[in-house]
Amino acid sequence: MAGAGGGNDIQWCFSQVKGAVDDDVAEADIISTVEFNHSGELLATGDKGGRVVIFQQEQENKTQTHSRGEYNVYSTFQSHEPEFDYLKSLEIEEKINKIRWLPQKNAAQFLLSTNDKTIKLWKISERDKRPEGYNLKEEDGRYRDPTTVTTLRVPVFRPMDLMVEASPRRIFANAHTYHINSISINSDYETYLSADDLRINLWHLEITDRSFNIVDIKPANMEELTEVITAAEFHPNSCNTFVYSSSKGTIRLCDMRASALCDRHSKLFEEPEDPSNRSFFSEIISSISDVKFSHSGRYMMTRDYLSVKIWDLNMENRPVETYQVHEYLRSKLCSLYENDCIFDKFECCWNGSDSVVMTGSYNNFFRMFDRNTKRDITLEASRENNKPRTVLKPRKVCASGKRKKDEISVDSLDFNKKILHTAWHPKENIIAVATTNNLYIFQDKVN
Amino acid sequence: MSAEIPEAASAEEQKEMEDKVTSPEKAEEAKLKARYPHLGQKPGGSDFLRKRLQKGQKYFDSGDYNMAKAKMKNKQLPTAAAPDKTEVTGDHIPTPQDLPQRKPSLVASKLAG
C-alpha cells in the first residue's frame, strides 16, 4: 500500500494506546470525535461526557533518530455540560459531536467544539513565565504594608513550569432547533458553518449573536419529511463552496455566491440505483454518515453503511471509485436492523497526499484503501498487539464457507466494538483510531 | 410447484425465489417482514426521521403528575418507569424520577490519566 512517500507498502505498527483497560465502560468515556490539528502536532479527542483531551507530539528524540515523537497529554477541559431545555422538555446531551481546529495564527491554539446545540471556540494557551519581584505583594500573594517598603525594584519574568490553559472565547448558541452533526471552518479562516438535521448556518468567528441560515430543507408540513442533512463541509480552497450529504445518499454542492439561501444546489451527486435491487434496507444503508473533501479539493469521499465512495467534483452522476468496507454484512442486515447497528455513523478520512483512505468497521477492525494500487487492508485496534514497532498483522473476515486459520467468521464479530472515528496526521503516516473508550495511535515502521 | 397453481403466481414466486438466491439483501428483507409483519410500508421513511429529530425529548407534565398524585390519595405514587431512554408518553404518568437532573461529569477523562 503506497504511503506518502509512494512505492513501498506501509507497515503499520502499534505506537500508543490511551484510556482505561477495564471492560466496564462508563458512558462518559465513550469517544465521540478525534481530530489532528493542521500541523499534526496536536491531537484532540471529545467524549460523551463533554470533555476534550488534547495530546501533543513530543519533539523528535535526537538520540533515537528513527522514532517519531509520542503523543502525551497537553491539555484537558470540560467543554460542554448537560443542559435541560425546560420550555421544550428537551434534554441536551453534553456529548462532543465534532471538534475542528483553526489554523494557528499566533502562539495560542484555537478549536471549535460542538454538542447538539451549542458551538464553542476554545483558546488553548501556554504560560511558561511568571512575573516576580512586585513591590507591593509578597511572593505568595499577600499584600505588603506600603510603609515597610524602603527600596523599589522592577518586577521581572522568571521561567515557571509549563501551564496550559483552555478558556472559552466565544459561545455560539441558540441557532439550532435540531441536532448539530457538523461544523466546518471556511478557507477564509473568518467564517464557519454548522449543520443540523434540517438547516445549515453560517457564522463569523468573531460574532456570536448573529448567524445566517444558508440551507433550510424543513418542509412546510413535517409529515412530508423524507430526508435529513447528515454532514456538511466547506471546500478546502474555494471559500464560496460547501457540500452537504443526506440520509437518502445524495450530496449537494452549493455556491454561496449564487444566492443568500442555498436551497437550490449547484450540483447534485447521486449514484443511480437499480430499482429491481431495491429493498426495505436500501435507503437506510445508503444514508451518508460522513463527507470529506480531499486535501486537493478535486475529490470528495462519502461513507455509507457498507462502502466508501470517491467522487470527482466534475462528475455528478456516479462516484469514480467505490470501496467495499464490509460487504459480508449485507446478509446480516435483518439482525443489524434489530440491534440498531444499521444506524451506526462511521466516519472516514484521507491521508495527507490523498492516496489512501481509511474508515472503521466492527470488531475493532479498521480498513484502508490505496487508491493507486487498489489494494486494501484490514487491521485491528487491540491491546494484544501492543508492542511498539511490531508490525500489525492484517485481519480477514470469512464471509461464508470454510473458515481458514486466522480468519474470523462474520458471526463471531463483536458488533459492540465499533470504530466510528479515525484520523490521519496531515503530513505523516501516523493515525489515530478510536475504539469505544480507547485511543490507539499507529505509525508506519520507520527504518 | 404443482400444476394447479395459475401461471402468473407461479412466475412471481419463481422471481421471488430467484431474488432470494441472488440478493442477500432481499432475503434479509423477507426475514424482517416475517418477524415484523406490520412494519411500515414506507421503508426508511418518516418514522426513522421523526424519531431522530425527537431525540432528547422528555415528557413531564406537572399538572398530570399532581392530579395523578391526588387521585392516588393513600395509594402509592405512580412509580418510575424503566430508567432508560424509551419514550414516556401515553397512559404512564412520568414522575420527576423519570427525568433525573443531569449532573456534569466532574471526573477527568481516563484518556488523560
Side-chain angles (χ1 to χ4, degrees):
Chain A
M1 185 166 46
N8 304 315
D9 276 7
I10 301 182
Q11 293 190 297
W12 290 100
C13 305
F14 171 86
S15 175
Q16 299 169 269
V17 61
K18 309 279 183 192
V21 188
D22 53 76
D23 284 329
D24 199 14
V25 182
E27 232 186 272
D29 291 325
I30 295 173
I31 299 172
S32 50
T33 185
V34 182
E35 187 84 355
F36 278 101
N37 76 336
H38 292 256
S39 67
E41 187 205 354
L42 298 177
L43 175 60
T45 60
D47 65 23
K48 212 165 178 209
R51 301 160 304 187
V52 171
V53 182
I54 300 174
F55 302 92
Q56 181 188 43
Q57 191 179 28
E58 295 302 324
Q59 292 302 319
E60 282 190 32
N61 197 322
K62 291 289 187 282
T63 54
Q64 287 182 288
T65 47
H66 292 307
S67 81
R68 281 206 209 78
E70 277 197 343
Y71 282 84
N72 296 320
V73 180
Y74 177 67
S75 171
T76 176
F77 55 92
Q78 185 80 36
S79 172
H80 287 71
E81 296 191 353
E83 291 172 61
F84 198 89
D85 182 338
Y86 296 100
L87 195 60
K88 295 180 193 166
S89 280
L90 255 188
E91 192 170 50
I92 301 168
E93 265 194 302
E94 66 274 37
K95 172 168 76 89
I96 309 295
N97 292 334
K98 286 280 170 3
I99 289 173
R100 290 287 182 263
W101 289 93
L102 266 69
Q104 192 173 11
K105 282 195 286 195
N106 52 39
Q109 300 279 356
F110 288 86
L111 60 79
L112 285 176
S113 70
T114 186
N115 70 348
D116 282 339
K117 296 285 181 182
T118 304
I119 306 129
K120 295 188 184 180
L121 176 69
W122 286 89
K123 176 179 179 182
I124 297 108
S125 48
E126 293 184 359
R127 195 194 290 262
D128 63 356
K129 293 184 266 292
R130 66 152 181 255
E132 284 178 20
Y134 284 108
N135 290 291
L136 295 174
K137 263 202 289 195
E138 303 286 359
E139 293 308 328
D140 59 10
R142 279 180 303 140
Y143 282 99
R144 289 170 75 183
D145 181 354
T147 56
T148 65
V149 178
T150 53
T151 56
L152 283 181
R153 56 188 177 172
V154 178
V156 290
F157 276 95
R158 290 255 143 75
M160 63 179 252
D161 285 340
L162 179 66
M163 214 167 68
V164 182
E165 304 167 317
S167 59
R169 305 303 287 178
R170 305 269 188 279
I171 299 191
F172 304 91
N174 301 321
H176 286 279
T177 307
Y178 303 98
H179 299 107
I180 298 173
N181 52 56
S182 311
I183 46 174
S184 177
I185 299 169
N186 200 339
S187 51
D188 67 8
Y189 301 153
E190 285 189 348
T191 58
Y192 74 94
L193 64 76
S194 57
D196 66 30
D197 291 314
L198 297 177
R199 298 192 178 102
I200 301 180
N201 293 330
L202 180 71
W203 302 84
H204 191 286
L205 285 163
E206 301 287 329
I207 299 168
T208 57
D209 63 356
R210 209 177 320 167
S211 162
F212 290 101
N213 176 242
I214 52 177
V215 172
D216 188 337
I217 65 166
K218 184 175 181 202
N221 180 1
M222 283 299 269
E223 297 286 317
E224 291 163 22
L225 181 69
T226 54
E227 70 183 320
V228 293
I229 297 169
T230 52
E233 193 176 62
F234 264 121
H235 190 275
N237 307 317
S238 302
C239 58
N240 51 281
T241 305
F242 66 93
V243 293
Y244 68 92
S245 58
S246 85
S247 53
K248 275 187 158 173
T250 64
I251 308 101
R252 287 174 175 79
L253 183 143
C254 301
D255 186 333
M256 296 196 292
R257 297 170 300 186
S259 66
L261 193 58
C262 298
D263 278 358
R264 244 182 316 181
H265 55 261
S266 299
K267 294 195 184 191
L268 173 65
F269 297 84
E270 189 173 12
E271 185 165 25
E273 193 197 7
D274 182 359
S276 66
N277 279 338
R278 197 163 174 77
S279 77
F280 174 83
F281 304 111
S282 299
E283 195 175 300
I284 304 172
I285 62 172
S286 73
S287 176
I288 292 170
S289 49
D290 195 15
V291 65
K292 292 264 172 46
F293 277 106
S294 64
H295 293 91
S296 64
R298 165 89 190 262
Y299 299 96
M300 67 178 174
M301 161 168 57
T302 57
R303 174 68 155 100
D304 51 71
Y305 191 61
L306 297 178
S307 67
V308 160
K309 295 179 180 171
I310 312 284
W311 304 78
D312 183 326
L313 292 190
N314 299 316
M315 188 161 75
E316 298 167 62
N317 60 357
R318 60 180 168 81
V320 289
E321 294 153 40
T322 301
Y323 301 103
Q324 300 301 337
V325 181
H326 35 218
E327 180 67 14
Y328 47 78
L329 294 183
R330 202 179 286 270
S331 51
K332 300 288 170 197
L333 291 177
C334 182
S335 9
L336 292 168
Y337 175 86
E338 289 178 303
N339 63 17
D340 273 354
C341 283
I342 205 174
F343 299 106
D344 285 336
K345 297 185 178 61
F346 291 95
E347 290 175 9
C348 53
C349 61
W350 299 83
N351 73 340
S353 60
D354 297 335
S355 61
V356 185
V357 296
M358 167 167 67
T359 190
S361 178
Y362 294 104
N363 210 69
N364 282 348
F365 287 172
F366 58 100
R367 304 261 287 136
M368 292 184 190
F369 303 93
D370 188 317
R371 300 176 61 213
N372 299 325
T373 65
K374 300 302 180 200
R375 281 207 288 270
D376 61 82
I377 191 169
T378 305
L379 297 172
E380 183 180 359
S382 151
R383 282 176 186 269
E384 283 170 23
N385 307 321
N386 63 357
K387 285 201 201 70
R389 284 196 289 282
T390 313
V391 178
L392 295 179
K393 200 170 84 160
R395 295 276 176 242
K396 192 140 165 51
V397 177
C398 169
S400 59
K402 234 161 158 36
R403 186 178 73 86
K404 296 198 191 75
K405 182 169 106 81
D406 284 349
E407 281 185 1
I408 178 166
S409 77
V410 184
D411 297 311
S412 310
L413 294 173
D414 188 342
F415 290 96
N416 289 318
K417 294 191 176 159
K418 6 188 155 207
I419 291 179
L420 303 174
H421 313 286
T422 60
W424 205 308
H425 189 291
K427 301 181 171 66
E428 315 254 1
N429 282 329
I430 302 173
I431 55 176
V433 174
T435 59
T436 306
N437 65 330
N438 282 179
L439 182 72
Y440 286 79
I441 298 170
F442 301 103
Q443 300 183 2
D444 66 350
K445 199 178 174 73
V446 194
N447 242 326
Chain B
M1 280 185 280
S2 81
E4 276 94 30
I5 296 172
E7 270 299 307
S10 155
E12 206 179 272
E13 280 179 47
Q14 188 104 45
K15 181 169 190 309
E16 234 178 76
M17 274 175 64
E18 272 171 11
D19 279 347
K20 278 181 195 150
V21 165
T22 55
S23 165
E25 215 173 294
K26 289 247 166 81
E28 289 295 297
E29 182 178 12
K31 223 189 279 180
L32 194 70
K33 289 230 161 98
R35 284 186 209 175
Y36 309 100
H38 299 297
L39 204 52
Q41 292 307 314
K42 211 165 167 209
S46 310
D47 281 347
F48 298 129
L49 301 182
R50 244 181 270 129
K51 188 171 158 191
R52 180 188 175 134
L53 297 179
Q54 276 185 336
K55 171 191 148 196
Q57 199 89 40
K58 303 278 179 189
Y59 297 95
F60 177 74
D61 187 311
S62 58
D64 280 349
Y65 176 68
N66 286 310
M67 286 198 40
K69 234 168 70 170
K71 256 191 222 148
M72 291 284 169
K73 286 185 196 186
N74 296 323
K75 291 188 197 154
Q76 263 191 323
L77 288 173
T79 49
D84 61 1
K85 315 226 188 285
T86 51
E87 277 182 39
V88 181
T89 54
D91 289 337
H92 172 80
I93 305 291
T95 68
Q97 285 83 358
D98 289 343
L99 311 170
Q101 268 304 327
R102 303 281 313 283
K103 287 197 173 56
S105 356
L106 299 171
V107 185
S109 165
K110 295 200 179 109
L111 291 183

